[in-house]
Amino acid sequence: MKQILCALIAGVWVTPALASFHIVLDPGHGGVDKGAVYNSIREADLVLTVAQRLQTLLKEHPEFTITMTREKDRAITLPERVKMAEEANADLYVSLHANAALDQRAKGVEFFFQNNMPVDEDSLYLANQENQAILNARDIHTISGGDELSKKGDIAAIVEDMRRQNRMFSSLRLTKALTTIWENDENAMQATIKQAPFYVISKTSMPAVLIEIGFISNPREAKRLQQKDYQKDLAQKIYNALVSYKEKMDNSSAKNLN
Ligand SMILES: [Zn+2]
């Protein structure tokens, strides 16, 4: 989070601008990469629609600054998405995807964050699917970035470790804010927190979460996900979770300052 700056101009105190909280919204896939395609839904189109609805809500909030990794149906690589977030020096990275499974009964919303815990097999499989664009890339050595950590001294490594812990804690906090919103609505899909090494949430240096908004391979969920009202509700829920997350973060930094 950036610090609030006060400025004294021509002897008059200018009301400090609200510290802007920069969120990068990342609708997965796009262009030639349609993502999962089931029940006449293309994942790339669906997540863009939900991201646009969410963007509209977030733009109304005076304390949020929003960057979309893509605003239309266009191809963008996973490293390009991460680069956008890094260059924007974003406070938070939110990637939107839709899930698919061979078992049509698979259902629910899933919130992924990056952790050090061992991952379960299903999550690993899904991360692998979502990372395909990277696995297929020819110039993989240019996007892996190398292990910079080995070149740094011990102190730098410790600082890096603390930063990583903080990032993990914040990401988990956001996934908890999301599940709380879902659990408080009895009509909502079941929501689960998971962790897996998705490229975009592994490579970004800020807190990051990847949301699988539902299974388009499940006929019942596919039907719901196509409804405008449901898409609106989804965007609203994510928005509410982001507001709640920011409030919690603001409260903790206020406590730390006192
Ligand atoms: Zn996806």
Side-chain angles (χ1 to χ4, degrees):
M1 224 170 302
K2 289 127 200 160
Q3 285 180 335
I4 298 173
L5 296 172
C6 297
L8 185 63
I9 301 171
V12 179
W13 275 104
V14 176
T15 310
L18 284 167
S20 176
F21 188 84
H22 198 148
I23 301 176
V24 169
L25 276 185
D26 172 40
H29 313 279
V32 285
D33 173 13
K34 305 294 175 208
V37 181
Y38 281 84
N39 295 309
S40 34
I41 302 177
R42 289 174 176 170
E43 178 187 358
D45 299 341
L46 175 66
V47 294
L48 179 61
T49 307
V50 175
Q52 282 165 337
R53 289 189 182 279
L54 179 55
Q55 181 194 26
T56 307
L57 293 172
L58 289 165
K59 271 186 167 172
E60 294 294 310
H61 196 293
E63 292 176 47
F64 289 135
T65 303
I66 309 303
T67 298
M68 297 268 280
T69 53
R70 64 180 180 99
E71 304 229 22
K72 53 183 183 173
D73 186 19
R74 72 176 183 96
I76 170 167
T77 67
L78 299 178
E80 278 167 347
R81 293 169 202 258
V82 171
K83 196 167 166 238
M84 280 178 82
E86 296 301 327
E87 284 177 357
N89 194 19
D91 295 296
L92 196 63
Y93 186 91
V94 179
S95 191
L96 296 182
H97 287 258
N99 223 330
L102 289 175
D103 183 352
Q104 288 193 1
R105 292 167 300 178
K107 61 177 182 175
V109 181
E110 292 175 337
F111 307 116
F112 285 87
F113 74 109
Q114 172 74 27
N115 198 351
N116 290 335
M117 295 186 301
V119 290
D120 66 81
E121 208 175 305
D122 282 351
S123 301
L124 208 55
Y125 175 76
L126 180 60
N128 188 47
Q129 293 294 105
E130 303 289 21
N131 290 345
Q132 274 308 313
I134 277 296
L135 300 175
N136 294 338
R138 277 185 298 164
D139 55 342
I140 196 141
H141 61 282
T142 61
I143 52 182
S144 66
D147 187 8
E148 294 294 333
L149 202 59
S150 59
K151 296 174 200 145
K152 295 177 185 167
D154 287 351
I155 303 288
I158 292 167
V159 171
E160 181 70 17
D161 195 47
M162 284 171 70
R163 197 183 57 79
R164 213 176 283 156
Q165 294 283 344
N166 180 52
R167 178 179 169 273
M168 200 193 300
F169 170 77
S170 303
S171 306
L172 177 61
R173 193 176 235 184
L174 175 59
T175 58
K176 284 190 173 156
L178 284 157
T179 38
T180 305
I181 300 283
W182 254 261
E183 282 163 8
N184 287 341
D185 176 0
E186 57 181 26
N187 295 319
M189 291 179 188
Q190 71 176 37
T192 326
I193 295 180
K194 289 188 165 183
Q195 61 96 24
F198 288 109
Y199 185 90
V200 287
I201 56 170
S202 306
K203 296 287 183 185
T204 40
S205 60
M206 68 286 309
V209 64
L210 185 144
I211 307 177
E212 296 278 354
I213 58 173
F215 280 81
I216 57 172
S217 50
N218 177 316
R220 193 164 167 268
E221 286 197 359
K223 209 173 161 191
R224 278 182 99 177
L225 285 161
Q226 275 173 307
Q227 292 163 0
K228 279 200 171 61
D229 281 351
Y230 187 72
Q231 294 167 357
K232 250 183 176 168
D233 180 65
L234 255 176
Q236 187 66 51
K237 278 189 165 60
I238 300 171
Y239 171 84
N240 292 348
L242 290 170
V243 171
S244 149
Y245 167 81
K246 187 184 179 299
E247 277 167 9
K248 281 203 180 81
M249 296 306 275
D250 288 349
N251 287 341
S252 341
S253 24
K255 261 185 216 156
N256 289 339
L257 286 173
N258 289 332

